[in-house]
Amino acid sequence: MSPLFKKTFVLFSLATVLFTACSKKKDEIKEPEVSLDLKLAASATFGSVITDGTGKALYCFVKDANSASTCVDGCLITWPVYYAENATPPVGLNAADIATITRADGTKQTTYKGWPLYYYAGDKAKDEIKGDGVGGIWFVAKPDYSVMMASQQLVGHDGKNYTADSKEGVGITFYLTDPKGRTLYAFTPDTFNKNNFTKPDLSNNAVWPIFESEILNVPSVLKKADFTVITSVGKNQLTYKGHPLYYFGSDAAKGETKGVSYPKPGVWPILTLNTPPLN
């Protein structure tokens, strides 16, 4: 064996040993697993909040009133989409409340109670919740909201557009819904914390069902003190500023606001931040 061949062989053998050692060492170093599954976290400020598996807070957007994601293009830079295929719900969340939608751009997004979920780019640490209340239209996702807010054009039972004052017209209204985004209404003839609509035999409850709820938590733009639970024909009915709250039976889907014009505009108004207290 020539000296040159011996030198080449030794160098090759040394390189093989080093490569093998490095590869073995690399194999022994496991990258940390990132879990996107949903979980519940305790916040000193917000109580129980919904996060991804790493503890990063998730948010709801009030403009997603009809379950479609309306945060697109530049909005997604600040509010990235959250998606986890077959996200496993933690104890405290109902698996039936978790679903997946396909966005207009073809990507997937996880929803909770019909609300598409997002991250907030301003949350740098996993325990930060800086996105709640941004613009008055973004709220941290929680499992225990008594009510939520929605923002969209009101469309009545007659197919016409309405504004917050129950008049025909085009304009976005910021209004009260149940936790799943179903529209809530007031009955004009009601008096302070008193349901004057529902019959004792509940024969008309299917048309304007009582909104049955306890006082749990509300979005940060609302005041919890504005809500009360009253007893109406044996049911616990939530009131807002003294207005007993109802659904409209013909609102079959999240985001529908048909009740604003039935039986005529002004009888069953929606409720907003500016709704005056009922005397």
Side-chain angles (χ1 to χ4, degrees), residues 165-166 185-192 194-197 208 242-244 246 259-260 262-271 278-279:
D165 56 3
S166 300
Y185 301 85
F187 182 47
T188 302
D190 280 346
T191 50
F192 185 78
K194 189 176 189 304
N195 175 336
N196 292 322
F197 173 79
W208 292 95
H243 299 268
Y246 307 80
V260 295
Y262 186 87
K264 63 180 181 179
V267 178
W268 292 89
I270 46 82
L271 300 108
L278 192 57
N279 296 321

Side-chain angles (χ1 to χ4, degrees), residues 210-278:
I210 287 172
F211 175 47
E212 299 178 63
S213 176
E214 299 297 329
I215 302 174
L216 299 173
N217 283 292
V218 300
S220 53
V221 293
L222 295 168
K223 297 178 181 178
K224 198 172 181 179
D226 285 336
F227 293 87
T228 304
V229 175
I230 62 173
T231 301
S232 300
V233 293
K235 296 179 179 291
N236 288 335
Q237 184 172 19
L238 195 65
T239 73
Y240 172 61
K241 295 182 178 180
H243 299 268
L245 302 178
Y246 307 80
Y247 294 113
F248 181 43
S250 294
D251 283 345
K254 178 176 181 281
E256 290 187 336
T257 58
K258 295 179 179 179
V260 295
S261 68
Y262 186 87
K264 63 180 181 179
V267 178
W268 292 89
I270 46 82
L271 300 108
T272 72
L273 297 178
N274 296 322
T275 296
L278 192 57

